[in-house]
Amino acid sequence: MTPAFVKDADWLDWHPNPSKPKFVVPAGAVDAHCHVFGPGDIFPFAPERKYTPCDASWGQLFALRDFLGFEKNVVVQATCHGSDNSALLDVLERAQGKARGVVTVKPDIAVAELERMHALGVRGVRFNYVKRLVDPKPDDYYRGIIEKIRPLGWHVVLYFEPSDLEEKKEFFNSLNIPLVIDHMGRPDVTKPVEGPEFEMFLDFMRGNPKIWCKVSCPDRLSLSGSPLYTDVVPFAKTIVEEFPDRVLWGTDWPHPNMKKEMPDDGILVDYVPSIATTPELQQKLLVTNPNNLYWSD
Ligand code: 0GY
């Protein structure tokens, strides 16, 4: 049978055989940023998508979770599925309480549908400002969504780049809702960690106690590369040490849009102690913080 979707010609597939991490994650650890893709024959990719990936199914995600030593996942809606969250909700149904979700919705979504999602384990929506992935919408579009999710106690996951933060930080703060920033707002790690660009990000976090940060994706940000990602370490370590109660970490499996090299997920886990250097910080980053944000009710 012909598959419903053919992945992009330059698509890199997730690592088929990651190494076993040397770093043993603490009991109850959460992979707080990962995705599923399809499978496209069952859960079609969105017509408006900007990439067509390989499949990355719920079963493959759970196998990786167990192999790396994590207990739970937070599955984040990938842009290739648009606002059709069926694949993600299917993961939540199968996960027996071991997964929570962050969806993408439109302002006209029915409250009953949001409540159904909440019962399945959804705790947030994602607003994506990265233009190679989506066409960002006007502020009022997002405000309409906020007013619908606020009664559910959800938060907003934001994916942006430094230039977007400069433009949008007042709007983000005006939302008066917990914000979770993907991949540290994608700092340019060739710039100094004490420089104005990263300082703007730290000031954003200092000024709003409702902001959380995923210190994830060294593989996306690094020029020095694996296994140590030394150029990213100072950025992530600074955030972990200044905001130990507001940081999260995730693999980002199945790693959409990697153009040169697919990371080894075991090596990504081994990176964690270089940015959270004590057992106390590791416990907060991997266990306490994600459980507080995603499993408190
Ligand atoms: C990530 C990063 C990327 C993609 C997406 O939803 C997505 O398509 O988030 C990216 O290409 O930087 O967090 O998965």
Side-chain angles (χ1 to χ4, degrees):
M1 207 177 78
T2 321
F5 294 92
V6 176
K7 66 187 174 186
D8 292 340
D10 63 348
W11 189 262
L12 294 185
D13 292 2
W14 43 274
H15 201 299
N17 188 22
S19 55
K20 190 81 180 165
K22 293 179 201 66
F23 171 56
V24 178
V25 299
V30 179
D31 176 352
H33 186 96
C34 50
H35 313 283
V36 285
F37 298 148
D41 288 347
I42 303 172
F43 301 109
F45 300 116
E48 73 274 19
R49 70 192 179 281
K50 300 216 180 185
Y51 61 85
T52 304
C54 65
D55 287 335
S57 72
W58 61 272
Q60 290 158 334
L61 176 68
F62 293 168
L64 183 75
R65 174 198 67 196
D66 296 345
F67 178 75
L68 297 177
F70 287 85
E71 184 179 285
K72 296 184 284 204
N73 295 108
V74 179
V75 187
V76 176
Q77 176 76 347
T79 56
C80 57
H81 278 294
S83 58
D84 177 352
N85 298 285
S86 321
L88 185 153
L89 297 175
D90 178 66
V91 179
L92 301 188
E93 281 192 272
R94 292 173 186 273
Q96 299 177 319
K98 289 186 178 180
R100 293 285 191 248
V102 173
V103 293
T104 297
V105 298
K106 295 181 178 163
D108 64 359
I109 185 155
V111 171
E113 177 61 2
L114 292 174
E115 286 168 351
R116 183 179 83 90
M117 290 177 173
H118 187 91
L120 289 171
V122 174
R123 294 292 180 270
V125 293
R126 190 181 200 204
F127 297 167
N128 198 323
Y129 285 86
V130 177
K131 292 171 196 71
R132 72 183 159 78
L133 293 171
V134 283
D135 300 320
K137 312 283 190 305
D139 294 352
D140 278 349
Y141 178 98
Y142 297 115
R143 284 192 201 282
I145 296 170
I146 295 283
E147 290 329 309
K148 284 198 171 158
I149 65 160
R150 198 185 292 286
L152 294 161
W154 290 8
H155 60 263
V156 176
V157 170
L158 291 174
Y159 193 22
F160 58 70
E161 296 177 317
S163 58
D164 306 310
L165 178 59
E166 191 144 24
E167 199 185 314
K168 289 285 170 198
K169 60 179 186 257
E170 275 159 39
F171 169 64
F172 294 154
N173 280 323
S174 77
L175 296 175
N176 190 27
I177 199 160
L179 304 173
V180 181
I181 314 304
D182 280 345
H183 318 333
M184 306 186 285
R186 295 198 62 113
D188 177 346
V189 300
T190 64
K191 294 183 178 167
V193 71
E194 309 83 18
E197 189 179 278
F198 192 57
E199 198 57 26
M200 176 176 69
F201 184 80
L202 295 175
D203 275 344
F204 180 53
M205 287 200 70
R206 286 175 191 134
N208 183 344
K210 290 187 173 160
I211 298 175
W212 301 60
C213 179
K214 291 181 199 160
V215 286
S216 44
C217 280
D219 46 302
R220 280 187 194 286
L221 306 171
S222 181
L223 295 182
S224 63
S226 82
L228 299 178
Y229 303 111
T230 38
D231 50 353
V232 188
V233 168
F235 292 84
K237 192 165 175 283
T238 298
I239 297 175
V240 170
E241 290 177 0
E242 186 166 344
F243 310 101
D245 299 312
R246 293 197 266 145
V247 283
L248 306 167
W249 188 86
T251 56
D252 189 38
W253 187 89
H255 312 284
N257 301 311
M258 300 306 291
K259 292 294 172 211
K260 284 194 208 128
E261 191 188 43
M262 184 50 58
D264 172 331
D265 299 279
I267 285 178
L268 289 176
V269 174
D270 283 336
Y271 162 82
V272 171
S274 68
I275 62 167
T277 53
T278 66
E280 292 74 22
L281 289 172
Q282 292 158 9
Q283 180 76 17
K284 286 181 181 218
L285 176 66
L286 297 173
V287 182
T288 316
N289 299 347
N291 276 291
N292 284 345
L293 190 60
Y294 287 97
W295 275 272
S296 60
D297 64 335

